[in-house]
């Protein structure tokens, strides 16, 4: 092929990773630092780092899902869930195994015996719910206050945030697929992959969910223990 013929060929589009924004890594790092400082008593408002982390994760995941829907007209749930599983499960499984074995050893070791039988029981009980990504509902079902779940009697209470994140990964793509299908049914097939229409619908959906959440918090608020909401 001559140089002139090669010059006339259309250039292949280069793929760009729109889902990665380096500056957001810094914000997530600050969010985690805020939570750690809050638990040491050095930053009273540091718990808001959890909210910031959730917002950033939701923003990035939603953008990635919307790009796939608008580009392909559909969403591969199996591929999306497989990516999430590969990202989170190895480290989580290793931590669960090491922590459970260490707790069991500390309870049975004649030289140490620093772990109580209650700690071993709650570790084994909570570990199952952690693997099912439902430990937050497990703790709620036990009527446990947020602060009461921390300390020497519970090791996996902090994983409630991972459970919330995993539940988001499961439910949010399904909601977006239903939303895209509804747009296609009501407005016509050409709107299914329309970025502006789908984006506007997502904003309305998020606003409705936020308002519902706020209403439920007001109705269910327990002044004696606000952590139960």
């Amino acid at each position: 092929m001559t140089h002139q013929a090669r010059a006339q060929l259309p250039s292949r589009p280069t793929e760009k990773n729109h889902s990665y924004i380096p500056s957001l890594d810094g914000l997530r790092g600050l969010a985690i630092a805020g939570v750690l400082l809050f638990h040491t008593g050095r930053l009273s408002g540091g718990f808001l780092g959890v909210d910031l982390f959730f917002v950033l994760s939701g923003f990035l995941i939603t953008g990635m899902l919307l790009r796939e829907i608008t580009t392909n007209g559909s969403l591969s749930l199996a591929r999306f869930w497989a990516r999430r599983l590969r990202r989170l499960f190895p480290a989580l499984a290793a931590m669960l195994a090491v922590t459970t074995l260490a707790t069991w050893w500390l309870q049975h070791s004649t030289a140490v015996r620093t772990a109580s039988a209650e700690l071993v029981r709650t570790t084994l009980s909570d570990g199952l719910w952690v693997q099912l990504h439902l430990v937050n509902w497990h703790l709620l079902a036990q009527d446990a206050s947020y602060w009461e779940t921390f300390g020497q009697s519970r090791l996996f209470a902090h994983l409630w945030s991972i459970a919330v994140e995993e539940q988001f990964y499961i439910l949010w793509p399904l909601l977006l697929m239903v939303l895209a299908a509804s747009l296609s049914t009501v407005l016509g097939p050409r709107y299914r992959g329309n970025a502006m229409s789908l984006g506007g619908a997502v904003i309305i959906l998020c606003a409705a969910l936020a308002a519902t959440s706020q209403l439920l918090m007001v109705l269910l608020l327990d002044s004696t223990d606000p952590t139960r909401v």
Side-chain angles (χ1 to χ4, degrees), residues 91-118:
L92 180 62
M95 186 274 293
L96 286 174
V98 171
T99 302
T100 302
L101 289 174
T103 304
W104 179 88
W105 179 80
L106 289 173
Q107 201 270 332
H108 288 82
S109 173
T110 56
V112 184
R113 288 192 180 277
T114 58
S116 65
E118 177 65 14

Side-chain angles (χ1 to χ4, degrees), residues 66-74 193:
L66 290 180
R67 280 190 294 272
E68 183 171 347
I69 293 175
T70 55
T71 301
N72 303 329
S74 62

Side-chain angles (χ1 to χ4, degrees), residues 81-199:
W81 287 334
R83 287 198 301 264
R84 297 302 100 194
L85 191 65
R86 288 195 301 268
R87 184 181 181 87
L88 294 175
F89 182 75
L92 180 62
M95 186 274 293
L96 286 174
V98 171
T99 302
T100 302
L101 289 174
T103 304
W104 179 88
W105 179 80
L106 289 173
Q107 201 270 332
H108 288 82
S109 173
T110 56
V112 184
R113 288 192 180 277
T114 58
S116 65
E118 177 65 14
L119 178 62
V120 175
R121 186 193 67 80
T122 57
T123 299
L124 295 176
S125 173
D126 295 349
L128 173 62
W129 294 99
V130 170
Q131 295 176 65
L132 296 175
H133 307 301
L134 294 172
V135 71
N136 57 323
W137 295 107
H138 170 62
L139 296 176
L140 284 172
Q142 294 187 341
D143 293 327
S145 172
Y146 178 76
W147 292 113
E148 289 177 358
T149 59
F150 288 91
Q152 294 185 355
S153 63
R154 214 133 214 167
L155 294 180
F156 295 144
H158 59 285
L159 293 177
W160 68 269
S161 59
I162 297 293
V164 171
E165 193 169 357
E166 289 292 342
Q167 291 159 31
F168 172 79
Y169 291 153
I170 294 172
L171 296 177
W172 189 237
L174 297 175
L175 282 176
L176 292 185
M177 290 183 66
V178 170
L179 189 63
S182 300
L183 282 178
S184 178
T185 301
V186 176
L187 302 177
R190 66 191 179 94
Y191 285 94
R192 181 181 181 90
N194 186 283
M196 291 294 293
S197 300
L198 187 56

Side-chain angles (χ1 to χ4, degrees), residues 14 26 54 96 111 121 157 164 202 220:
T14 59
F54 282 158
L96 286 174
R121 186 193 67 80
V164 171
V202 169
L220 299 175

